[in-house]
Amino acid sequence: MQLKDLHSFRVAAERANLHHAADALGVTQPALSKSIQRLETALGVRLFERTARGVALTAIGQALYARNLGLEQ
């Protein structure tokens, strides 16, 4: 797990849209998807569910997001 992947996860969670998050991070959407996939693989869980309008955090994703906020303050 890379710190960069956690940052990418946080931005994607806040934007709830991978294209918007990728733009904010200055990366391509496939690169962002790979970063999130690395994090999901390392943790052995799904962090996002696809929706009609973008992505939504799973319950585990919500817990990680709350924990991630605490680490960056």
Side-chain angles (χ1 to χ4, degrees):
M1 177 181 345
Q2 299 176 15
L3 199 52
K4 177 180 92 168
D5 295 339
L6 281 172
H7 178 68
S8 296
F9 162 76
R10 179 179 178 177
V11 173
E14 290 170 351
R15 302 293 192 286
N17 183 292
L18 295 183
H19 292 288
H20 295 172
D23 287 344
L25 291 165
V27 300
T28 64
Q29 187 272 323
L32 175 58
S33 291
K34 284 185 182 185
S35 178
I36 291 169
Q37 185 178 24
R38 268 194 311 268
L39 189 57
E40 289 178 329
T41 299
L43 297 173
V45 296
R46 293 212 28 127
L47 299 171
F48 291 99
E49 294 177 355
R50 297 236 181 239
T51 68
R53 299 187 67 99
V55 292
L57 289 170
T58 62
I60 293 171
Q62 290 173 1
L64 179 62
Y65 179 75
R67 178 76 174 161
N68 192 12
L69 285 178
L71 293 175
E72 292 189 16
Q73 293 179 353

